[in-house]
Amino acid sequence: LLYLILIGLTLIYFLFYRKGDYLMWFVAVAFLGPIGEAAVSASGLWTYHGITIFGVPYWLPLAWGLTAIILRIRVELLNLRSN
């Protein structure tokens, strides 16, 4: 269910709010974030239960990508507000 929600949010975002290099930002963070998670998970610091790919849940790249976009939008809004 979580995976379907994340896919839906991602599709809605990219269909209705396309801006500049956001897709590149999404893909980069969706790729690099889980690599860090996999490294930490492989060290044994924490583990994920359920279906995982290289030690991280299959839905985690979407969560990382959406979080990066949300934070980037928030930073841009704060910069506009301070000007």
Side-chain angles (χ1 to χ4, degrees), residues 35-57:
I35 288 176
E37 295 259 353
V40 173
S41 182
S43 74
L45 189 58
W46 70 72
T47 59
Y48 291 102
H49 300 283
I51 301 171
T52 62
I53 301 169
F54 301 114
V56 296

Side-chain angles (χ1 to χ4, degrees), residues 2-51:
L2 176 62
Y3 191 63
L4 294 175
I5 291 170
L6 289 172
I7 287 174
L9 289 173
T10 303
L11 288 174
I12 288 169
Y13 173 78
F14 283 112
L15 287 174
F16 295 108
Y17 188 79
R18 292 182 216 165
K19 184 175 178 186
D21 60 345
Y22 279 32
L23 180 60
M24 182 183 71
W25 185 256
F26 177 89
V27 170
V29 174
F31 179 73
L32 295 174
I35 288 176
E37 295 259 353
V40 173
S41 182
S43 74
L45 189 58
W46 70 72
T47 59
Y48 291 102
H49 300 283
I51 301 171

Side-chain angles (χ1 to χ4, degrees), residues 41-79:
S41 182
S43 74
L45 189 58
W46 70 72
T47 59
Y48 291 102
H49 300 283
I51 301 171
T52 62
I53 301 169
F54 301 114
V56 296
Y58 60 92
W59 50 264
L60 197 59
L62 288 173
W64 271 98
L66 284 173
T67 302
I69 295 297
I70 291 168
L71 289 174
R72 184 165 175 185
I73 291 169
R74 183 65 183 149
V75 166
E76 288 177 358
L77 289 174
L78 287 173
N79 286 338

